[in-house]
Amino acid sequence: MRDLLSIADLDRAQIEALLDGAEHMADVLGRDIPKVPALRGKTVVSLFYEDSTRTRLSFETAAKRLGADTMTFTLGTSSVKKGESLLDTARTIEAMGVDAMVVRHSAAGAPHRVAGWVDAAVVNAGDGRHEHPTQALLDAFTLRRHRGPGLDGARIAIVGDVRNSRVARSGIACWHRLGAQVTLVGPPTLMPERLDGWPVAVSHDLDDVLTELDVVYVLRVQQERLGQALLPSLREYYARYGVTTARSERMKPDALVMHPGPMIRGPEIATEVVDGGRSLIREQVANGVAVRMAVLWDLIGSGGRLV
Amino acid sequence: MSDVVIRGGRVVDEAGESRADVLVRDGAVAEVSASLPLPSGAEVLDAEGCVVAPGLVDIQVHFREPGREEAETIDTGSRAAARGGMTAVVAMPNTQPPLDDAKVVAAVLEQGRRAPCLVTVAGCITKGRAGRELAPLGELHDLGVRVFTDDGDCVADANVMRRAFEYALALPGSVIAQHAEDPALVAGGHMNEGDWSAKLGIPGRPGEAESTIVARDLALARLTGGRYHVLHMSTATATELVRAAKAEGVHVTAEASPQHFTLTEAECATFDPVFKMNPPLRTDADVAAIVSGLVDGTIDAIATDHAPHAPETKELPFEEAPPGMLGVETALAVALTRLVDPGIMPLRDVLGALSWRPARIAGLDALGHGLPVAAGNPANLCVIDPAHRWVVDPERLASKSRNTPWAGWELTGKVRHTVLRGEPVVVDGESRR
């Protein structure tokens, strides 16, 4: 891999190799000193054009655990505010001598543009509504740890604003390649405009599919969707699609609940569910570091096996 | 001005086709005949193996002056147009300030007086292109303006559109031209809404935003008897609506841009904003329908929507870059390569769509453009080598900008000479001024 821009660019074997690598990184993180000098002398820059706390800290922690130097460039403090173009910013940073750029941007394809302009490896840390590949990988990693090596046959429902979700686009591509059956759940206005050729089923009724699911993956629905005539009210949305304790009780005994964050406890997902036995939400965050270590190691490491 | 003889070519115009030499004297065609004696002191333009045609006419260009001279000027844009074989263009009014005022229009026309092609302008339909109050259509008409449009934006208010149709009935030769995309349906969109936008996560602009406006405007044209022109039509549905309305006798014309009969939404998967434009690149089925519309004459004209943007504005993510692409220097070659070479359209029909038909839509025939190559007509001509193969190199374009989606494409057919009012302004592909 030269860059990690999109799950759509990866096949099952490549995904599994990254997940296997992440297992190894998780072992490292479990040691007394959770750090290896694998990327000593390498520099990883976070280029974040959109607010993010968890993804940025997760990548930076991953880079530091591998001994890389890190730099951070966020919108609030940068020359972007002074009108510098994405091209100039990317080239300026590259001129400082960096090995990898972790790019988050509110516009789809921004990391692809950067990858075309610089020699450094580019990791997509979320681009607009397009993709968020490391999120999909860390979710797959988390599920694998609970369900064994593959996701074959697992029924995963993605519930919520799929249309505007980069997490959903990467998740669908990643989990389908690993053998899962994905169902999109939500009102028609929050489904992608066109689903021809997508390897998914669609349901507008969560209660209808609830008892068949192995995983309920909850996406946030933003207040601003109301102004776009996509929803009449959040109250109505939560009544139909909220993960309540009553719904949790109807799920299969071993069904799991996931959320990419940030989440709204309460109507979107009941506190009892978040903190209950089905929830993988905290594990998702913890596993993010191991998966991102594996990605960085694959992109800019020496290629050999870690010791 | 010395005499000019265009020698050895095949004359192709609305009247027919014949092997003939053309003598140009005092700005007009003086003689067309199979073999002309060479007057002493005459300049000879070699046309061996070439087609001699009326100058091309592009009724939709953006020359960015006034306001965005870093992207294009009337000087650079008109030089590019002349190299593309054009002897007349209609510059769109979405400048800064917009062309909604007689003084601004007069200044732009004055600026175009020295240009190597005739630069006319379209006037705004509404003040400030805001879609509410009518611009001074009559005052602009007095200055020669015949095309009115808020291009770049759609006149969304049905009543304003109705009144524009009605008011323009009093202005001989005028036409109301629409950028047909319902602003509410395309709000926040950056590419065609469809399989690719869903996959790429880029908010879409549905084709129905075009067809609903065209359907409504055709109803208003029917109601008022007004003359309607659809700019850069891009969808199969709108093409079908125009076809039916023409059969019914509605006063409607339509144009298509080379990109909309050549490229599809799939190009956007590169995330390169050189493929971003409004209306957006559509589907394979839409491209096929636009081609059929050109073949059967439903679509009257090919117009480029030449929309230069300074390089730094395209060095951005797709969603943040402005829409539009260059067109005047490649339009003829793209049309020859995609329509004539594969035998989809005869050369003469393509030249009609690039010359005499758009000239009539915009009233440029009255100014001597698109007319047959015949004695007495003004000598606005182009000479085309239809077999010349070349590769589009953005760095070699005369435009001030570089945003062509055809960079690296090998095209067939090139303009060799362009003659404006009897003066060779482009000779062997090089600008004389």
Side-chain angles (χ1 to χ4, degrees), chain B residues 204-332:
Chain B
R205 304 169 77 92
E208 287 70 14
E210 176 174 285
S211 53
T212 53
I213 289 292
V214 168
R216 181 204 73 178
D217 288 349
L218 288 170
L220 295 173
R222 211 177 277 125
L223 171 71
T224 58
R227 249 189 90 202
Y228 180 49
H229 178 69
V230 185
L231 298 167
H232 44 49
M233 195 157 68
S234 64
T235 63
T237 315
T239 305
E240 193 45 50
L241 288 166
V242 169
R243 184 175 285 125
K246 282 189 163 186
E248 199 193 317
V250 177
H251 297 139
V252 56
T253 51
E255 68 185 36
S257 303
Q259 55 269 33
H260 290 125
F261 61 77
T262 308
L263 306 171
T264 70
E265 57 180 350
E267 303 284 355
C268 302
T270 60
F271 293 110
D272 186 342
V274 80
F275 298 108
K276 179 176 179 177
M277 59 209 67
N278 294 337
L281 298 176
R282 304 285 189 189
T283 65
D284 287 320
D286 290 310
V287 167
I290 295 298
V291 170
S292 333
L294 284 163
V295 167
D296 74 6
T298 298
I299 298 171
D300 303 83
I302 295 170
T304 65
D305 193 10
H306 179 81
H309 288 289
E312 59 274 16
T313 68
K314 288 281 190 182
E315 288 163 354
L316 291 170
F318 196 90
E319 292 171 49
E320 294 181 356
M325 46 159 275
L326 302 180
V328 291
E329 290 175 80
T330 47
L332 172 80

Side-chain angles (χ1 to χ4, degrees), chain B residues 74 104-114 119-121 143-145:
Chain B
I74 290 168
V104 181
V105 167
V108 170
L109 294 175
E110 178 58 33
Q111 185 70 22
R113 232 173 266 289
R114 296 178 303 274
V119 178
T120 67
V121 303
L143 291 171
V145 175

Side-chain angles (χ1 to χ4, degrees), chain A residues 86-87 105-110 112-113 117 129-130 169 193-194 196 198, chain B residues 193-195 197-201 203 271-273 314-317 319-320:
Chain A
L86 181 62
L87 171 67
H105 203 290
S106 59
H112 303 66
R113 301 283 285 156
W117 293 326
R129 301 160 184 76
H130 179 228
R169 282 181 178 78
E193 311 87 293
R194 214 67 73 85
D196 302 341
W198 289 44
Chain B
E193 180 180 308
D195 293 341
S197 69
K199 191 171 163 186
L200 299 173
F271 293 110
D272 186 342
K314 288 281 190 182
E315 288 163 354
L316 291 170
E319 292 171 49
E320 294 181 356

Side-chain angles (χ1 to χ4, degrees), chain A:
Chain A
M1 258 190 343
R2 209 190 110 66
D3 304 297
L4 176 59
L5 301 176
S6 166
I7 294 289
D9 300 335
L10 305 180
D11 60 24
R12 179 170 184 154
Q14 288 172 298
I15 293 170
E16 285 182 336
L18 287 171
L19 298 181
D20 293 343
E23 290 289 354
H24 194 64
M25 295 301 174
D27 293 343
V28 169
L29 293 173
R31 295 177 191 170
D32 290 343
I33 301 169
K35 194 164 173 165
V36 285
L39 296 183
R40 195 162 55 194
K42 303 281 188 179
T43 303
V44 176
V45 175
S46 308
L47 181 54
F48 273 57
Y49 280 79
E50 197 183 60
D51 289 337
S52 155
T53 308
R54 82 180 62 205
T55 304
R56 183 168 60 77
L57 292 179
S58 180
F59 268 108
E60 286 171 10
T61 305
K64 288 193 163 98
R65 295 279 185 252
L66 291 169
D69 296 318
T70 60
M71 297 194 287
T72 303
F73 182 99
T74 59
L75 186 60
T77 57
S78 72
S79 51
V80 173
K81 275 200 166 165
K82 298 164 193 158
E84 189 173 74
S85 77
L86 181 62
L87 171 67
D88 287 333
T89 302
R91 289 207 173 134
T92 300
I93 290 174
E94 180 168 56
M96 297 172 190
V98 306
D99 301 286
M101 288 192 200
V102 178
V103 181
R104 151 88 46 117
H105 203 290
S106 59
H112 303 66
R113 301 283 285 156
V114 172
W117 293 326
V118 302
D119 290 329
V122 175
V123 183
N124 181 357
D127 61 326
R129 301 160 184 76
H130 179 228
E131 281 227 32
H132 191 353
T134 57
Q135 179 72 45
L137 291 169
L138 75 87
D139 292 332
F141 179 77
T142 304
L143 278 174
R144 234 169 60 143
R145 293 200 127 192
H146 280 264
R147 297 183 46 93
L151 301 184
D152 289 293
R155 288 209 52 180
I156 305 176
I158 304 176
V159 182
D161 188 359
V162 178
R163 171 178 293 197
N164 293 294
S165 174
R166 54 190 171 215
V167 171
R169 282 181 178 78
S170 284
I172 292 163
C174 182
W175 310 332
H176 167 71
R177 280 163 168 75
L178 293 173
Q181 290 175 268
V182 180
T183 303
L184 309 181
V185 180
T189 48
L190 298 184
M191 294 294 109
E193 311 87 293
R194 214 67 73 85
L195 284 165
D196 302 341
W198 289 44
V200 296
V202 176
S203 171
H204 304 309
D205 185 345
L206 179 57
D207 292 313
D208 190 41
V209 294
L210 191 63
T211 56
E212 302 154 22
L213 300 173
D214 298 306
V215 181
V216 175
Y217 195 100
V218 185
L219 296 175
R220 190 163 55 122
V221 169
Q222 289 168 308
Q223 183 82 29
E224 68 188 75
R225 305 296 169 224
L226 304 181
Q228 299 162 350
L230 294 172
L231 290 175
S233 73
L234 286 179
R235 188 191 51 193
E236 182 168 317
Y237 173 79
Y238 291 138
R240 287 163 175 261
Y241 303 104
V243 180
T244 58
T245 48
R247 288 201 171 102
S248 176
E249 282 160 15
R250 289 186 52 225
M251 291 180 203
K252 281 193 202 171
D254 59 348
L256 301 165
V257 174
M258 304 177 81
H259 196 302
M263 67 187 162
I264 307 167
R265 283 174 186 255
E268 177 180 281
I269 179 164
T271 281
E272 294 81 352
V273 180
V274 174
D275 299 326
R278 299 184 180 290
S279 170
L280 300 182
I281 297 170
R282 284 173 64 89
E283 270 182 62
Q284 287 174 272
V285 177
N287 290 335
V289 175
V291 165
R292 288 167 178 132
M293 287 169 75
V295 167
L296 290 173
W297 172 245
D298 185 284
L299 289 173
I300 59 168
S302 58
R305 220 187 124 64
L306 261 190
V307 282

